[in-house]
Amino acid sequence: MACIDEKIRSRSVEVGVVGLGYVGLPLAVAFSEAGFRVLGLDVQQKRVDLVNQGKSYIADVSEARLSSVLANNLLEATTDQSRLREVDAICVCVPTPLTKTKDPELSYVISESEVVSRYLQKGQLVVLESTTYPGTTREVMLPILERSGLKTGQDFYLAFSPEMIDPGNKKYTIKNTPKIVGGINHESTKLAQLLYQQVADIVIPVSCPEVAELTKVFQNVFRSVNIALVNELAHLCEKMGLSVWEVIDAASTKPFGYMPFYPGPGIGGHCIPLDPYYLANKAREFDFHTRFIELAAEINEHMPYHVVFRILELLNTRGKSLNGAKILVLGVAYKKDIEDTRESPSLKIIQLLREKAAEVSYNDPYVPHIHVPAGRMESVELSGECLASMDCVVIATDHSCYDMGEVVARAKLVFDTRGVTRGLKGNNIVRLGE
Ligand SMILES: NC(=O)c1ccc[n+]([C@@H]2O[C@H](COP(=O)([O-])OP(=O)(O)OC[C@H]3O[C@@H](n4cnc5c(N)ncnc54)[C@H](O)[C@@H]3O)[C@@H](O)[C@H]2O)c1
């Protein structure tokens, strides 16, 4: 076994974390807090400066934690990727978005692999953490890394270990969420397992990187499909005059064989809306069509259109048209209590409402401004007067800090896409799925 093995055990291993975003920064801090020296690398000078100044831009990493690891000299950020030569293990956490036509956009993984290849040292362990289709580590990353002249599994070690973090989740963190690792050979798996055991309570080795890659995408497909199923049920309940929320509550009483998923205005974030397409795309190489994935994406992506249609109908029954209606969207983050607006359905809803000439404003205590196709928008103050002046208030994100009683008391009409007004009384409330 390589000497990195002893270095991990003696806690003298140095870890490089590439990409200091939602995944990379918490990981870098977790390794530092476990007593390892960490070099954080990013292409954005601003992020690097903020990290070195102890200023966090990721809600899950408090400034107190960041300052503490900096004070102990356990974390340093840099844009200088030649310093990858100095570390023993390299965890790559760069973005894996989609192109406009929803094909995998692997340019970040490819360009970072080229950089790592340039500075690769004998004995180093490289781990890809970015979510991607099965085969990326072996078919895309490995050949680029071997351009260094070093041989995988012999001169250096290579594994895939998907990041499982759930931003904003206070209960499950890097430490208590099981971490999957799959190496290109037995030694790579063993080394990756040993490395992650330093920050995660449970590390689960699998037979190869492809299994680890598919596991992560499958977890996200599972969520996407189940959310689509319950979104479809919400549509049906609207037609049948039943409440999907009541049905879910009743179904959830079954102690086995069921777990609740909830309908909403659509899916957002960097994972659930994107990752299933990575698999659907790869599957085509095998003349295979992942029908569940496509169907779920179709249903989930239609939800913002459905929300806008419901608002249009509600205004219509009140003798108003959407054209010129004053509409306040509450919450633009893709889920509660976080500041992330990537792929947020609220942005789509705002865009669609504006295209129909509605006068749209938004409030989100976590997001001071947003960019939509029509330009920049600022979050408005959520005052009683503001609520009362609207033709419709749309609850799009159920941030815990919102006083829904106050919203319902002040607004003329509330369209609740999250089911958070259940238990409140008022004939001005209309809910998705009812
Ligand atoms: N956000 C999540 O909840 C989450 C959860 C699990 C997995 N993931 C996956 O993890 C990966 C990273 O996602 P994220 O949310 O942290 O993205 P992010 O956009 O928040 O962060 C990525 C960072 O990488 C940097 N970067 C880009 N190219 C680089 C390069 N060549 N060298 C150094 N830095 C570079 C960017 O500047 C950015 O700071 C994605 O594959 C994503 O699907 C995300």
Side-chain angles (χ1 to χ4, degrees), residues 276-294:
Y277 283 110
Y278 268 74
L279 187 57
N281 192 283
K282 183 70 179 175
R284 283 188 217 129
E285 236 179 81
F286 300 86
D287 293 335
F288 193 94
H289 291 266
T290 49
R291 285 170 289 171
F292 271 110
I293 292 179
E294 300 287 349

Side-chain angles (χ1 to χ4, degrees), residues 18-24 41-44 47 81 93-96 108 111-112 129-131 163 165 167 216 270-271 275 342:
V18 183
L20 298 173
Y22 285 92
V23 166
L41 298 107
D42 206 287
V43 285
Q44 294 185 53
R47 289 199 155 182
Q81 303 237 22
C93 313
V94 295
T96 43
Y108 296 93
S111 69
E112 187 50 35
E129 290 225 2
S130 307
T131 310
E163 184 49 67
I165 57 153
K216 170 68 187 181
H270 191 307
C271 298
D275 302 344
R342 291 178 298 177

Side-chain angles (χ1 to χ4, degrees), residues 86-256:
E86 298 169 16
V87 301
D88 304 287
I90 301 170
C91 304
V92 178
C93 313
V94 295
T96 43
L98 293 174
T99 63
K100 271 196 175 149
T101 49
K102 301 201 190 285
D103 293 315
E105 155 67 298
L106 278 184
S107 62
Y108 296 93
V109 172
I110 292 171
S111 69
E112 187 50 35
S113 301
E114 286 164 352
V115 172
V116 174
S117 166
R118 208 171 305 145
Y119 303 114
L120 196 63
Q121 302 292 304
K122 261 196 157 183
Q124 279 183 329
L125 166 69
V126 181
V127 186
L128 179 61
E129 290 225 2
S130 307
T131 310
T132 184
Y133 60 75
T136 309
T137 308
R138 192 186 303 274
E139 294 162 14
V140 179
M141 215 174 178
L142 185 154
I144 300 175
L145 295 182
E146 287 197 341
R147 282 186 213 154
S148 61
L150 299 178
K151 186 98 190 83
T152 324
Q154 187 179 307
D155 299 323
F156 72 97
Y157 304 91
L158 179 61
F160 182 82
S161 179
E163 184 49 67
M164 305 291 191
I165 57 153
D166 179 20
N169 194 326
K170 304 265 181 275
K171 189 171 171 197
Y172 291 107
T173 60
I174 291 175
K175 184 162 168 43
N176 59 0
T177 307
K179 191 104 172 84
I180 310 284
V181 295
I184 219 86
N185 65 343
H186 180 68
E187 287 214 330
S188 298
T189 306
K190 281 276 162 225
L191 284 175
Q193 185 181 5
L194 185 62
L195 179 70
Y196 286 107
Q197 276 167 346
Q198 312 307 312
V199 287
D201 294 341
I202 301 172
V203 181
I204 296 158
V206 293
S207 60
C208 58
E210 289 78 5
V211 169
E213 288 161 334
L214 184 53
T215 301
K216 170 68 187 181
V217 181
F218 173 61
Q219 288 170 336
N220 287 346
V221 169
F222 176 84
R223 282 190 65 75
S224 172
V225 166
N226 280 286
I227 293 168
L229 179 64
V230 80
N231 277 335
E232 191 179 66
L233 189 71
H235 276 256
L236 179 63
C237 284
E238 286 173 4
K239 301 252 180 225
M240 294 178 113
L242 297 172
S243 167
V244 74
W245 309 100
E246 194 185 349
V247 173
I248 295 167
D249 281 355
S252 304
T253 58
K254 190 178 176 192
F256 52 88

